[in-house]
Amino acid sequence: PAQKPKTTLTTWDPILLIAQIVAMQALHYIVMSVLVPPLLAAFAEPDGLAYEGGAANVGMIMDWRLLAGIPTIPNPQLLATWWSGGKKLGTGSTDPSSPFSYIPWIDPMRGWVIALCWLGACTADIYFLYTFVRRPRLILDFTLTLLFNHLVLTTYYSASIPTSGFFWLVLLLGAAMTLIGAEQACVRREMKDGLKVAYSTNEEERGLTEEME
């Protein structure tokens, strides 16, 4: 009998693999770019947000320090004053009597908002993996690849290795959510498809038996 042609579902296809990795990474960041700006504009401290470049600044997604609530300037006290859009936002003074004593770039709410958006994007990743990757045995690989790629990109963008425990906790929690949710969904689909195939095969065998009789 003639051999059946091999398909990309059963063989290693590097082009398909690279396309899936790029698609997953891009879709994750697209979801983040949809969630982060409006939520930051609604809940984050506006002056500190303006100093960091605004809610739509790419650093809100790519700079791990903003998620961790760490200042992006090593020593803010060295600055005398800072401005944005012609508006004086504050000074480096910590004197309580100074009207500009508050350091706006340290905003815990901003970190929480970005963290929740990251978890929201990880939830969307469950659907993306279910749709584009499909096979349960590959879910772990793609989840870890997405996490590793983001670590490389955020380290390059911020020029520093992530050292925040909160940052690592958020990333690991998001990865666990994606892994468990996508793997379970794919396994359930395979079991459902397997039952359909088994039922169809039994019906065909029964029909052949009846014809022979």
Side-chain angles (χ1 to χ4, degrees), residues 37-57 60 82-85 87-90 102-110 113:
L39 292 178
L40 282 179
F43 297 106
E45 201 281 323
D47 287 343
L49 196 60
Y51 178 83
E52 294 291 353
N57 181 19
M60 299 299 168
W82 56 87
W83 302 75
S84 178
K87 178 182 177 183
K88 186 176 182 180
L89 301 180
Y102 173 63
I103 301 176
W105 47 62
I106 303 177
D107 181 13
M109 181 58 69
R110 183 170 60 221
V113 170

PDB file of all heavy atoms in Angstrom, residues 37-57 60 82-85 87-90 102-110 113:
ATOM      1  N   PRO A  37      -2.721  50.809  28.519  1.00  0.00           N
ATOM      2  CA  PRO A  37      -2.924  52.268  28.471  1.00  0.00           C
ATOM      3  C   PRO A  37      -4.208  52.770  29.135  1.00  0.00           C
ATOM      4  O   PRO A  37      -4.151  53.688  29.966  1.00  0.00           O
ATOM      5  CB  PRO A  37      -2.889  52.573  26.970  1.00  0.00           C
ATOM      6  CG  PRO A  37      -2.068  51.484  26.385  1.00  0.00           C
ATOM      7  CD  PRO A  37      -2.413  50.272  27.178  1.00  0.00           C
ATOM      8  N   PRO A  38      -5.384  52.210  28.818  1.00  0.00           N
ATOM      9  CA  PRO A  38      -6.593  52.751  29.457  1.00  0.00           C
ATOM     10  C   PRO A  38      -6.644  52.528  30.963  1.00  0.00           C
ATOM     11  O   PRO A  38      -7.122  53.389  31.711  1.00  0.00           O
ATOM     12  CB  PRO A  38      -7.737  52.018  28.742  1.00  0.00           C
ATOM     13  CG  PRO A  38      -7.126  50.787  28.179  1.00  0.00           C
ATOM     14  CD  PRO A  38      -5.726  51.157  27.839  1.00  0.00           C
ATOM     15  N   LEU A  39      -6.139  51.378  31.431  1.00  0.00           N
ATOM     16  CA  LEU A  39      -6.180  51.105  32.862  1.00  0.00           C
ATOM     17  C   LEU A  39      -5.191  51.985  33.622  1.00  0.00           C
ATOM     18  O   LEU A  39      -5.486  52.458  34.728  1.00  0.00           O
ATOM     19  CB  LEU A  39      -5.894  49.630  33.122  1.00  0.00           C
ATOM     20  CG  LEU A  39      -6.987  48.656  32.643  1.00  0.00           C
ATOM     21  CD1 LEU A  39      -6.584  47.219  32.892  1.00  0.00           C
ATOM     22  CD2 LEU A  39      -8.316  48.963  33.339  1.00  0.00           C
ATOM     23  N   LEU A  40      -4.020  52.229  33.048  1.00  0.00           N
ATOM     24  CA  LEU A  40      -3.075  53.135  33.687  1.00  0.00           C
ATOM     25  C   LEU A  40      -3.610  54.553  33.711  1.00  0.00           C
ATOM     26  O   LEU A  40      -3.475  55.266  34.712  1.00  0.00           O
ATOM     27  CB  LEU A  40      -1.731  53.100  32.947  1.00  0.00           C
ATOM     28  CG  LEU A  40      -0.822  51.911  33.217  1.00  0.00           C
ATOM     29  CD1 LEU A  40       0.455  52.019  32.383  1.00  0.00           C
ATOM     30  CD2 LEU A  40      -0.468  51.812  34.700  1.00  0.00           C
ATOM     31  N   ALA A  41      -4.217  54.985  32.619  1.00  0.00           N
ATOM     32  CA  ALA A  41      -4.789  56.332  32.569  1.00  0.00           C
ATOM     33  C   ALA A  41      -5.886  56.512  33.610  1.00  0.00           C
ATOM     34  O   ALA A  41      -6.091  57.613  34.132  1.00  0.00           O
ATOM     35  CB  ALA A  41      -5.328  56.613  31.169  1.00  0.00           C
ATOM     36  N   ALA A  42      -6.579  55.416  33.935  1.00  0.00           N
ATOM     37  CA  ALA A  42      -7.693  55.501  34.879  1.00  0.00           C
ATOM     38  C   ALA A  42      -7.244  55.406  36.334  1.00  0.00           C
ATOM     39  O   ALA A  42      -7.837  56.055  37.206  1.00  0.00           O
ATOM     40  CB  ALA A  42      -8.714  54.400  34.572  1.00  0.00           C
ATOM     41  N   PHE A  43      -6.201  54.630  36.627  1.00  0.00           N
ATOM     42  CA  PHE A  43      -5.875  54.322  38.020  1.00  0.00           C
ATOM     43  C   PHE A  43      -4.500  54.804  38.474  1.00  0.00           C
ATOM     44  O   PHE A  43      -4.286  54.947  39.683  1.00  0.00           O
ATOM     45  CB  PHE A  43      -5.967  52.805  38.251  1.00  0.00           C
ATOM     46  CG  PHE A  43      -7.345  52.244  38.039  1.00  0.00           C
ATOM     47  CD1 PHE A  43      -7.628  51.492  36.910  1.00  0.00           C
ATOM     48  CD2 PHE A  43      -8.350  52.477  38.958  1.00  0.00           C
ATOM     49  CE1 PHE A  43      -8.901  50.972  36.699  1.00  0.00           C
ATOM     50  CE2 PHE A  43      -9.627  51.959  38.763  1.00  0.00           C
ATOM     51  CZ  PHE A  43      -9.910  51.212  37.637  1.00  0.00           C
ATOM     52  N   ALA A  44      -3.559  55.024  37.577  1.00  0.00           N
ATOM     53  CA  ALA A  44      -2.207  55.396  37.991  1.00  0.00           C
ATOM     54  C   ALA A  44      -2.128  56.882  38.332  1.00  0.00           C
ATOM     55  O   ALA A  44      -2.956  57.692  37.893  1.00  0.00           O
ATOM     56  CB  ALA A  44      -1.204  55.054  36.903  1.00  0.00           C
ATOM     57  N   GLU A  45      -1.100  57.237  39.108  1.00  0.00           N
ATOM     58  CA  GLU A  45      -0.870  58.637  39.482  1.00  0.00           C
ATOM     59  C   GLU A  45      -0.460  59.414  38.225  1.00  0.00           C
ATOM     60  O   GLU A  45       0.515  59.057  37.562  1.00  0.00           O
ATOM     61  CB  GLU A  45       0.235  58.689  40.541  1.00  0.00           C
ATOM     62  CG  GLU A  45       0.242  59.950  41.371  1.00  0.00           C
ATOM     63  CD  GLU A  45       0.887  61.096  40.619  1.00  0.00           C
ATOM     64  OE1 GLU A  45       1.860  60.849  39.899  1.00  0.00           O
ATOM     65  OE2 GLU A  45       0.393  62.229  40.757  1.00  0.00           O
ATOM     66  N   PRO A  46      -1.215  60.448  37.842  1.00  0.00           N
ATOM     67  CA  PRO A  46      -1.010  61.080  36.523  1.00  0.00           C
ATOM     68  C   PRO A  46       0.339  61.752  36.337  1.00  0.00           C
ATOM     69  O   PRO A  46       0.924  61.673  35.256  1.00  0.00           O
ATOM     70  CB  PRO A  46      -2.163  62.101  36.440  1.00  0.00           C
ATOM     71  CG  PRO A  46      -2.583  62.336  37.858  1.00  0.00           C
ATOM     72  CD  PRO A  46      -2.338  61.048  38.571  1.00  0.00           C
ATOM     73  N   ASP A  47       0.868  62.436  37.371  1.00  0.00           N
ATOM     74  CA  ASP A  47       2.145  63.120  37.207  1.00  0.00           C
ATOM     75  C   ASP A  47       3.285  62.127  37.011  1.00  0.00           C
ATOM     76  O   ASP A  47       4.154  62.304  36.155  1.00  0.00           O
ATOM     77  CB  ASP A  47       2.432  64.018  38.413  1.00  0.00           C
ATOM     78  CG  ASP A  47       1.543  65.259  38.422  1.00  0.00           C
ATOM     79  OD1 ASP A  47       0.960  65.566  37.363  1.00  0.00           O
ATOM     80  OD2 ASP A  47       1.439  65.905  39.471  1.00  0.00           O
ATOM     81  N   GLY A  48       3.301  61.070  37.823  1.00  0.00           N
ATOM     82  CA  GLY A  48       4.320  60.047  37.678  1.00  0.00           C
ATOM     83  C   GLY A  48       4.209  59.337  36.341  1.00  0.00           C
ATOM     84  O   GLY A  48       5.210  58.975  35.721  1.00  0.00           O
ATOM     85  N   LEU A  49       2.974  59.138  35.888  1.00  0.00           N
ATOM     86  CA  LEU A  49       2.750  58.501  34.594  1.00  0.00           C
ATOM     87  C   LEU A  49       3.283  59.376  33.463  1.00  0.00           C
ATOM     88  O   LEU A  49       3.905  58.883  32.516  1.00  0.00           O
ATOM     89  CB  LEU A  49       1.258  58.243  34.408  1.00  0.00           C
ATOM     90  CG  LEU A  49       0.845  57.257  33.308  1.00  0.00           C
ATOM     91  CD1 LEU A  49       1.448  55.885  33.564  1.00  0.00           C
ATOM     92  CD2 LEU A  49      -0.673  57.183  33.233  1.00  0.00           C
ATOM     93  N   ALA A  50       3.060  60.680  33.576  1.00  0.00           N
ATOM     94  CA  ALA A  50       3.562  61.605  32.562  1.00  0.00           C
ATOM     95  C   ALA A  50       5.085  61.627  32.546  1.00  0.00           C
ATOM     96  O   ALA A  50       5.705  61.700  31.484  1.00  0.00           O
ATOM     97  CB  ALA A  50       3.019  63.012  32.814  1.00  0.00           C
ATOM     98  N   TYR A  51       5.694  61.544  33.723  1.00  0.00           N
ATOM     99  CA  TYR A  51       7.160  61.546  33.785  1.00  0.00           C
ATOM    100  C   TYR A  51       7.759  60.348  33.077  1.00  0.00           C
ATOM    101  O   TYR A  51       8.803  60.432  32.426  1.00  0.00           O
ATOM    102  CB  TYR A  51       7.630  61.580  35.230  1.00  0.00           C
ATOM    103  CG  TYR A  51       9.127  61.535  35.355  1.00  0.00           C
ATOM    104  CD1 TYR A  51       9.879  62.691  35.237  1.00  0.00           C
ATOM    105  CD2 TYR A  51       9.791  60.332  35.563  1.00  0.00           C
ATOM    106  CE1 TYR A  51      11.262  62.656  35.316  1.00  0.00           C
ATOM    107  CE2 TYR A  51      11.167  60.283  35.648  1.00  0.00           C
ATOM    108  CZ  TYR A  51      11.898  61.452  35.527  1.00  0.00           C
ATOM    109  OH  TYR A  51      13.259  61.407  35.594  1.00  0.00           O
ATOM    110  N   GLU A  52       7.083  59.192  33.186  1.00  0.00           N
ATOM    111  CA  GLU A  52       7.591  57.969  32.568  1.00  0.00           C
ATOM    112  C   GLU A  52       7.253  57.871  31.086  1.00  0.00           C
ATOM    113  O   GLU A  52       7.567  56.877  30.448  1.00  0.00           O
ATOM    114  CB  GLU A  52       7.039  56.740  33.297  1.00  0.00           C
ATOM    115  CG  GLU A  52       7.521  56.590  34.729  1.00  0.00           C
ATOM    116  CD  GLU A  52       8.999  56.247  34.821  1.00  0.00           C
ATOM    117  OE1 GLU A  52       9.612  55.997  33.766  1.00  0.00           O
ATOM    118  OE2 GLU A  52       9.544  56.230  35.937  1.00  0.00           O
ATOM    119  N   GLY A  53       6.594  58.884  30.527  1.00  0.00           N
ATOM    120  CA  GLY A  53       6.306  58.885  29.094  1.00  0.00           C
ATOM    121  C   GLY A  53       4.863  58.674  28.742  1.00  0.00           C
ATOM    122  O   GLY A  53       4.520  58.580  27.561  1.00  0.00           O
ATOM    123  N   GLY A  54       3.993  58.555  29.749  1.00  0.00           N
ATOM    124  CA  GLY A  54       2.581  58.374  29.475  1.00  0.00           C
ATOM    125  C   GLY A  54       2.155  56.922  29.502  1.00  0.00           C
ATOM    126  O   GLY A  54       2.973  56.002  29.485  1.00  0.00           O
ATOM    127  N   ALA A  55       0.834  56.725  29.510  1.00  0.00           N
ATOM    128  CA  ALA A  55       0.288  55.372  29.626  1.00  0.00           C
ATOM    129  C   ALA A  55       0.612  54.501  28.418  1.00  0.00           C
ATOM    130  O   ALA A  55       0.678  53.274  28.534  1.00  0.00           O
ATOM    131  CB  ALA A  55      -1.233  55.452  29.825  1.00  0.00           C
ATOM    132  N   ALA A  56       0.811  55.126  27.246  1.00  0.00           N
ATOM    133  CA  ALA A  56       1.072  54.363  26.021  1.00  0.00           C
ATOM    134  C   ALA A  56       2.554  54.142  25.771  1.00  0.00           C
ATOM    135  O   ALA A  56       2.917  53.607  24.717  1.00  0.00           O
ATOM    136  CB  ALA A  56       0.436  55.069  24.825  1.00  0.00           C
ATOM    137  N   ASN A  57       3.408  54.521  26.713  1.00  0.00           N
ATOM    138  CA  ASN A  57       4.847  54.311  26.548  1.00  0.00           C
ATOM    139  C   ASN A  57       5.152  52.811  26.509  1.00  0.00           C
ATOM    140  O   ASN A  57       4.650  52.037  27.325  1.00  0.00           O
ATOM    141  CB  ASN A  57       5.592  54.981  27.704  1.00  0.00           C
ATOM    142  CG  ASN A  57       7.090  54.817  27.590  1.00  0.00           C
ATOM    143  OD1 ASN A  57       7.620  54.522  26.527  1.00  0.00           O
ATOM    144  ND2 ASN A  57       7.786  55.014  28.688  1.00  0.00           N
ATOM    145  N   MET A  60       6.021  50.674  29.618  1.00  0.00           N
ATOM    146  CA  MET A  60       5.032  50.130  30.541  1.00  0.00           C
ATOM    147  C   MET A  60       4.870  48.629  30.371  1.00  0.00           C
ATOM    148  O   MET A  60       4.418  47.935  31.284  1.00  0.00           O
ATOM    149  CB  MET A  60       3.681  50.835  30.339  1.00  0.00           C
ATOM    150  CG  MET A  60       3.722  52.324  30.592  1.00  0.00           C
ATOM    151  SD  MET A  60       4.200  52.700  32.299  1.00  0.00           S
ATOM    152  CE  MET A  60       4.502  54.465  32.185  1.00  0.00           C
ATOM    153  N   TRP A  82      11.908  68.408  37.754  1.00  0.00           N
ATOM    154  CA  TRP A  82      11.574  67.736  36.506  1.00  0.00           C
ATOM    155  C   TRP A  82      10.305  68.341  35.935  1.00  0.00           C
ATOM    156  O   TRP A  82       9.437  68.813  36.647  1.00  0.00           O
ATOM    157  CB  TRP A  82      11.424  66.223  36.706  1.00  0.00           C
ATOM    158  CG  TRP A  82      10.433  65.807  37.733  1.00  0.00           C
ATOM    159  CD1 TRP A  82       9.100  65.600  37.566  1.00  0.00           C
ATOM    160  CD2 TRP A  82      10.704  65.516  39.107  1.00  0.00           C
ATOM    161  NE1 TRP A  82       8.514  65.207  38.728  1.00  0.00           N
ATOM    162  CE2 TRP A  82       9.474  65.149  39.692  1.00  0.00           C
ATOM    163  CE3 TRP A  82      11.861  65.533  39.888  1.00  0.00           C
ATOM    164  CZ2 TRP A  82       9.374  64.803  41.041  1.00  0.00           C
ATOM    165  CZ3 TRP A  82      11.742  65.193  41.225  1.00  0.00           C
ATOM    166  CH2 TRP A  82      10.525  64.833  41.789  1.00  0.00           C
ATOM    167  N   TRP A  83      10.217  68.309  34.625  1.00  0.00           N
ATOM    168  CA  TRP A  83       9.142  68.963  33.895  1.00  0.00           C
ATOM    169  C   TRP A  83       8.551  67.999  32.879  1.00  0.00           C
ATOM    170  O   TRP A  83       9.218  67.084  32.410  1.00  0.00           O
ATOM    171  CB  TRP A  83       9.672  70.212  33.164  1.00  0.00           C
ATOM    172  CG  TRP A  83      10.294  71.221  34.073  1.00  0.00           C
ATOM    173  CD1 TRP A  83      11.514  71.151  34.670  1.00  0.00           C
ATOM    174  CD2 TRP A  83       9.709  72.450  34.481  1.00  0.00           C
ATOM    175  NE1 TRP A  83      11.738  72.256  35.431  1.00  0.00           N
ATOM    176  CE2 TRP A  83      10.640  73.094  35.329  1.00  0.00           C
ATOM    177  CE3 TRP A  83       8.506  73.102  34.207  1.00  0.00           C
ATOM    178  CZ2 TRP A  83      10.401  74.322  35.910  1.00  0.00           C
ATOM    179  CZ3 TRP A  83       8.263  74.331  34.776  1.00  0.00           C
ATOM    180  CH2 TRP A  83       9.194  74.931  35.621  1.00  0.00           C
ATOM    181  N   SER A  84       7.298  68.212  32.522  1.00  0.00           N
ATOM    182  CA  SER A  84       6.644  67.452  31.466  1.00  0.00           C
ATOM    183  C   SER A  84       5.551  68.316  30.856  1.00  0.00           C
ATOM    184  O   SER A  84       4.657  68.790  31.569  1.00  0.00           O
ATOM    185  CB  SER A  84       6.049  66.148  32.006  1.00  0.00           C
ATOM    186  OG  SER A  84       5.384  65.436  30.995  1.00  0.00           O
ATOM    187  N   GLY A  85       5.647  68.533  29.537  1.00  0.00           N
ATOM    188  CA  GLY A  85       4.645  69.343  28.861  1.00  0.00           C
ATOM    189  C   GLY A  85       4.593  70.769  29.364  1.00  0.00           C
ATOM    190  O   GLY A  85       3.518  71.373  29.411  1.00  0.00           O
ATOM    191  N   LYS A  87       5.009  71.674  32.374  1.00  0.00           N
ATOM    192  CA  LYS A  87       4.472  71.698  33.732  1.00  0.00           C
ATOM    193  C   LYS A  87       5.510  71.156  34.700  1.00  0.00           C
ATOM    194  O   LYS A  87       6.102  70.099  34.468  1.00  0.00           O
ATOM    195  CB  LYS A  87       3.207  70.834  33.803  1.00  0.00           C
ATOM    196  CG  LYS A  87       2.594  70.754  35.192  1.00  0.00           C
ATOM    197  CD  LYS A  87       1.381  69.830  35.185  1.00  0.00           C
ATOM    198  CE  LYS A  87       0.792  69.661  36.577  1.00  0.00           C
ATOM    199  NZ  LYS A  87      -0.348  68.719  36.584  1.00  0.00           N
ATOM    200  N   LYS A  88       5.743  71.885  35.782  1.00  0.00           N
ATOM    201  CA  LYS A  88       6.676  71.434  36.799  1.00  0.00           C
ATOM    202  C   LYS A  88       6.008  70.357  37.641  1.00  0.00           C
ATOM    203  O   LYS A  88       4.978  70.591  38.275  1.00  0.00           O
ATOM    204  CB  LYS A  88       7.108  72.599  37.691  1.00  0.00           C
ATOM    205  CG  LYS A  88       8.200  72.244  38.690  1.00  0.00           C
ATOM    206  CD  LYS A  88       8.644  73.467  39.481  1.00  0.00           C
ATOM    207  CE  LYS A  88       9.765  73.121  40.451  1.00  0.00           C
ATOM    208  NZ  LYS A  88      10.213  74.298  41.229  1.00  0.00           N
ATOM    209  N   LEU A  89       6.616  69.168  37.657  1.00  0.00           N
ATOM    210  CA  LEU A  89       6.014  68.036  38.346  1.00  0.00           C
ATOM    211  C   LEU A  89       6.551  67.846  39.757  1.00  0.00           C
ATOM    212  O   LEU A  89       5.861  67.298  40.609  1.00  0.00           O
ATOM    213  CB  LEU A  89       6.232  66.750  37.550  1.00  0.00           C
ATOM    214  CG  LEU A  89       5.656  66.742  36.127  1.00  0.00           C
ATOM    215  CD1 LEU A  89       5.952  65.404  35.472  1.00  0.00           C
ATOM    216  CD2 LEU A  89       4.164  67.016  36.151  1.00  0.00           C
ATOM    217  N   GLY A  90       7.791  68.254  40.038  1.00  0.00           N
ATOM    218  CA  GLY A  90       8.316  68.052  41.375  1.00  0.00           C
ATOM    219  C   GLY A  90       9.798  68.324  41.438  1.00  0.00           C
ATOM    220  O   GLY A  90      10.419  68.718  40.464  1.00  0.00           O
ATOM    221  N   TYR A 102       6.919  65.190  46.908  1.00  0.00           N
ATOM    222  CA  TYR A 102       6.497  63.857  46.499  1.00  0.00           C
ATOM    223  C   TYR A 102       7.250  63.421  45.244  1.00  0.00           C
ATOM    224  O   TYR A 102       7.359  64.159  44.285  1.00  0.00           O
ATOM    225  CB  TYR A 102       4.991  63.845  46.220  1.00  0.00           C
ATOM    226  CG  TYR A 102       4.478  62.557  45.636  1.00  0.00           C
ATOM    227  CD1 TYR A 102       4.549  61.374  46.354  1.00  0.00           C
ATOM    228  CD2 TYR A 102       3.938  62.523  44.356  1.00  0.00           C
ATOM    229  CE1 TYR A 102       4.079  60.198  45.810  1.00  0.00           C
ATOM    230  CE2 TYR A 102       3.461  61.357  43.808  1.00  0.00           C
ATOM    231  CZ  TYR A 102       3.528  60.199  44.539  1.00  0.00           C
ATOM    232  OH  TYR A 102       3.065  59.031  44.012  1.00  0.00           O
ATOM    233  N   ILE A 103       7.797  62.193  45.268  1.00  0.00           N
ATOM    234  CA  ILE A 103       8.516  61.652  44.122  1.00  0.00           C
ATOM    235  C   ILE A 103       7.524  60.840  43.288  1.00  0.00           C
ATOM    236  O   ILE A 103       7.134  59.736  43.670  1.00  0.00           O
ATOM    237  CB  ILE A 103       9.693  60.772  44.577  1.00  0.00           C
ATOM    238  CG1 ILE A 103      10.659  61.592  45.425  1.00  0.00           C
ATOM    239  CG2 ILE A 103      10.401  60.169  43.383  1.00  0.00           C
ATOM    240  CD1 ILE A 103      11.799  60.796  45.995  1.00  0.00           C
ATOM    241  N   PRO A 104       7.053  61.352  42.155  1.00  0.00           N
ATOM    242  CA  PRO A 104       5.921  60.747  41.464  1.00  0.00           C
ATOM    243  C   PRO A 104       6.209  59.454  40.749  1.00  0.00           C
ATOM    244  O   PRO A 104       5.296  58.740  40.428  1.00  0.00           O
ATOM    245  CB  PRO A 104       5.515  61.844  40.450  1.00  0.00           C
ATOM    246  CG  PRO A 104       6.779  62.577  40.180  1.00  0.00           C
ATOM    247  CD  PRO A 104       7.540  62.561  41.491  1.00  0.00           C
ATOM    248  N   TRP A 105       7.503  59.142  40.477  1.00  0.00           N
ATOM    249  CA  TRP A 105       7.723  57.939  39.685  1.00  0.00           C
ATOM    250  C   TRP A 105       7.635  56.671  40.528  1.00  0.00           C
ATOM    251  O   TRP A 105       7.673  55.592  40.016  1.00  0.00           O
ATOM    252  CB  TRP A 105       9.061  58.011  38.965  1.00  0.00           C
ATOM    253  CG  TRP A 105      10.205  58.437  39.820  1.00  0.00           C
ATOM    254  CD1 TRP A 105      10.695  57.809  40.903  1.00  0.00           C
ATOM    255  CD2 TRP A 105      10.976  59.619  39.663  1.00  0.00           C
ATOM    256  NE1 TRP A 105      11.741  58.494  41.436  1.00  0.00           N
ATOM    257  CE2 TRP A 105      11.940  59.623  40.686  1.00  0.00           C
ATOM    258  CE3 TRP A 105      10.966  60.663  38.753  1.00  0.00           C
ATOM    259  CZ2 TRP A 105      12.874  60.634  40.837  1.00  0.00           C
ATOM    260  CZ3 TRP A 105      11.896  61.674  38.895  1.00  0.00           C
ATOM    261  CH2 TRP A 105      12.840  61.645  39.934  1.00  0.00           C
ATOM    262  N   ILE A 106       7.558  56.783  41.830  1.00  0.00           N
ATOM    263  CA  ILE A 106       7.343  55.615  42.679  1.00  0.00           C
ATOM    264  C   ILE A 106       5.845  55.519  42.952  1.00  0.00           C
ATOM    265  O   ILE A 106       5.324  56.127  43.881  1.00  0.00           O
ATOM    266  CB  ILE A 106       8.145  55.712  43.997  1.00  0.00           C
ATOM    267  CG1 ILE A 106       9.635  55.881  43.698  1.00  0.00           C
ATOM    268  CG2 ILE A 106       7.921  54.480  44.852  1.00  0.00           C
ATOM    269  CD1 ILE A 106      10.491  56.053  44.941  1.00  0.00           C
ATOM    270  N   ASP A 107       5.145  54.790  42.120  1.00  0.00           N
ATOM    271  CA  ASP A 107       3.686  54.681  42.197  1.00  0.00           C
ATOM    272  C   ASP A 107       3.311  53.200  42.287  1.00  0.00           C
ATOM    273  O   ASP A 107       3.304  52.495  41.282  1.00  0.00           O
ATOM    274  CB  ASP A 107       3.056  55.327  40.957  1.00  0.00           C
ATOM    275  CG  ASP A 107       1.534  55.254  40.990  1.00  0.00           C
ATOM    276  OD1 ASP A 107       0.980  54.939  42.060  1.00  0.00           O
ATOM    277  OD2 ASP A 107       0.915  55.518  39.945  1.00  0.00           O
ATOM    278  N   PRO A 108       3.009  52.703  43.489  1.00  0.00           N
ATOM    279  CA  PRO A 108       2.666  51.279  43.631  1.00  0.00           C
ATOM    280  C   PRO A 108       1.467  50.866  42.782  1.00  0.00           C
ATOM    281  O   PRO A 108       1.418  49.741  42.284  1.00  0.00           O
ATOM    282  CB  PRO A 108       2.369  51.135  45.130  1.00  0.00           C
ATOM    283  CG  PRO A 108       3.059  52.297  45.780  1.00  0.00           C
ATOM    284  CD  PRO A 108       3.013  53.410  44.784  1.00  0.00           C
ATOM    285  N   MET A 109       0.502  51.763  42.625  1.00  0.00           N
ATOM    286  CA  MET A 109      -0.686  51.425  41.852  1.00  0.00           C
ATOM    287  C   MET A 109      -0.333  51.089  40.404  1.00  0.00           C
ATOM    288  O   MET A 109      -0.929  50.200  39.795  1.00  0.00           O
ATOM    289  CB  MET A 109      -1.684  52.586  41.882  1.00  0.00           C
ATOM    290  CG  MET A 109      -2.980  52.319  41.106  1.00  0.00           C
ATOM    291  SD  MET A 109      -3.869  50.847  41.688  1.00  0.00           S
ATOM    292  CE  MET A 109      -4.411  51.428  43.303  1.00  0.00           C
ATOM    293  N   ARG A 110       0.660  51.789  39.852  1.00  0.00           N
ATOM    294  CA  ARG A 110       1.067  51.524  38.476  1.00  0.00           C
ATOM    295  C   ARG A 110       1.567  50.088  38.325  1.00  0.00           C
ATOM    296  O   ARG A 110       1.237  49.399  37.360  1.00  0.00           O
ATOM    297  CB  ARG A 110       2.146  52.516  38.053  1.00  0.00           C
ATOM    298  CG  ARG A 110       2.594  52.362  36.601  1.00  0.00           C
ATOM    299  CD  ARG A 110       3.477  53.513  36.185  1.00  0.00           C
ATOM    300  NE  ARG A 110       4.679  53.600  37.000  1.00  0.00           N
ATOM    301  CZ  ARG A 110       5.209  54.739  37.457  1.00  0.00           C
ATOM    302  NH1 ARG A 110       4.621  55.888  37.209  1.00  0.00           N
ATOM    303  NH2 ARG A 110       6.310  54.732  38.173  1.00  0.00           N
ATOM    304  N   VAL A 113      -1.386  47.633  38.416  1.00  0.00           N
ATOM    305  CA  VAL A 113      -2.165  47.667  37.175  1.00  0.00           C
ATOM    306  C   VAL A 113      -1.454  46.878  36.078  1.00  0.00           C
ATOM    307  O   VAL A 113      -2.067  46.058  35.376  1.00  0.00           O
ATOM    308  CB  VAL A 113      -2.406  49.125  36.729  1.00  0.00           C
ATOM    309  CG1 VAL A 113      -2.991  49.157  35.309  1.00  0.00           C
ATOM    310  CG2 VAL A 113      -3.346  49.826  37.689  1.00  0.00           C
TER     311      VAL A 113
END
